């Protein structure tokens, strides 16, 4: 995977904050959050390889959480981001935590990160992967019709939104463009089901937040996260589902800002100044 081919958007100025979306999503999922950070930080929203406008790796290339960690680290190095703040949702949260372990991040703020599920939840993810793989063999018009049926739309709202009955949730539906043979989503689901974040120290400030209405990665996973990242600040997001940037972008931005500020204060106290990019004066 070539970090030069990663699509991204940037706004604002200051120390970089790199935003990483979840499986099957794209950088636009942060659109309601980015402006709330851009007054104080350079906000960089990334399309992970295989999603949005970033091409997927070839079928014979590694494609799992750890390969994405490597390419995001190379992306940060390519653009001169020195110990950027990292924030991520779901798959993006796992990547941010792994980069925190590697000492790449200045701070880490994650929302419902993958890698902390129990055996039953992992079985559920494998089942989703098997169903998605079966769906790849259906003609696209059939998949379109199925995704637009009332039961499918209701299931999408329940799975992805904190309040399925809210007006904002009515347009929610499962994406079917990723359900083609060899598609990134289909390739990645079993990898995430097998992925486990092991307990290792993270030296920078960490916030782990979980929506209390997350039905994709259940809130009970937060207990495992607290055990494996004991220095993390744990937060429960009330009334929020698996994609908190859609349900409560204000709280998401404030938790990112809190973690960034804690790291910035600590770094100023240690050195009297800190760089945002290599070569900055």
């Amino acid at each position: 995977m070539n970090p030069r081919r990663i699509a991204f958007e940037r706004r604002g100025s200051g120390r970089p904050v790199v935003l990483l979306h979840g499986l099957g999503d794209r950088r636009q999922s942060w659109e309601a959050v980015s402006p709330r950070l851009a007054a104080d930080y350079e906000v960089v929203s990334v399309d992970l390889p295989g999603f949005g406008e970033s091409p997927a790796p070839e079928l014979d290339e590694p494609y799992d959480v750890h390969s994405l960690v490597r390419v995001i680290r190379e992306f940060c190095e390519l653009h001169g981001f020195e110990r950027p703040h990292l924030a991520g949702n779901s798959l993006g949260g796992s990547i941010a935590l792994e980069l925190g372990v590697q000492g790449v991040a200045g701070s880490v703020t994650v929302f419902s990160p993958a890698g902390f599920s129990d055996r039953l939840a992992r079985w559920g993810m494998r089942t989703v992967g098997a169903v998605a793989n079966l769906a790849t063999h259906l003609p696209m018009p059939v998949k379109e019709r199925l995704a637009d049926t009332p039961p499918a739309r209701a299931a999408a709202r329940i799975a992805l939104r904190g309040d399925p009955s809210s007006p904002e949730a009515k347009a929610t539906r499962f994406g079917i463009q990723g359900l083609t043979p060899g598609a990134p989503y289909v390739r990645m689901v079993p990898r995430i089901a097998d992925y486990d974040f092991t307990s290792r120290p993270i030296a920078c400030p960490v916030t782990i937040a979980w929506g209390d209405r997350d039905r994709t990665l259940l809130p009970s996973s937060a207990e495992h996260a607290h055990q494996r990242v004991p220095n993390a600040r744990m937060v429960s997001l009330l009334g929020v589902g698996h994609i908190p940037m859609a349900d409560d972008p204000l709280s998401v931005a404030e938790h990112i800002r809190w973690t960034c500020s804690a790291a910035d204060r600590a770094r100023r106290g240690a050195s009297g100044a800190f760089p945002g990019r290599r070569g900055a004066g």
Side-chain angles (χ1 to χ4, degrees), residues 57-190:
E58 299 297 330
L59 292 177
D60 59 351
E61 288 186 89
Y63 191 42
D64 54 22
V65 175
H66 296 292
S67 67
L68 293 181
V69 169
R70 287 194 295 274
V71 76
I72 294 301
R73 179 170 186 161
E74 292 168 358
F75 170 83
C76 291
E77 292 171 351
L78 175 67
H79 294 282
F81 301 148
E82 183 178 356
R83 298 201 68 208
H85 300 296
L86 298 176
N89 172 224
S90 194
L91 169 61
S94 304
I95 295 169
L97 287 170
E98 292 286 354
L99 289 170
V101 169
Q102 295 180 13
V104 172
S107 74
V108 174
T109 311
V110 296
F111 304 90
S112 299
F116 299 99
S117 298
D118 59 22
R119 184 176 301 176
L120 180 60
R122 292 178 189 279
W123 176 85
M125 281 187 276
R126 292 188 181 96
T127 301
V128 168
V131 171
N133 191 51
L134 288 173
T136 64
H137 302 289
L138 295 174
M140 186 61 70
V142 174
K143 286 184 280 197
E144 288 278 6
R145 288 197 296 272
L146 289 174
D148 279 328
T149 60
R153 282 187 171 274
R157 290 194 297 270
I158 291 169
L160 300 176
R161 299 305 297 262
D163 181 4
S165 63
S166 68
E168 295 82 4
K170 287 185 177 179
T172 303
R173 70 193 290 270
F174 290 122
I176 52 88
Q177 285 74 23
L179 298 180
T180 56
Y185 180 88
V186 176
R187 293 167 63 188
M188 186 60 72
V189 169

Side-chain angles (χ1 to χ4, degrees), residues 227-246:
Q227 293 168 3
R228 297 181 207 174
V229 193
N231 66 307
R233 167 180 171 257
M234 302 298 298
V235 175
S236 180
L237 301 174
L238 302 181
V240 171
H242 186 61
I243 307 176
M245 304 89 76

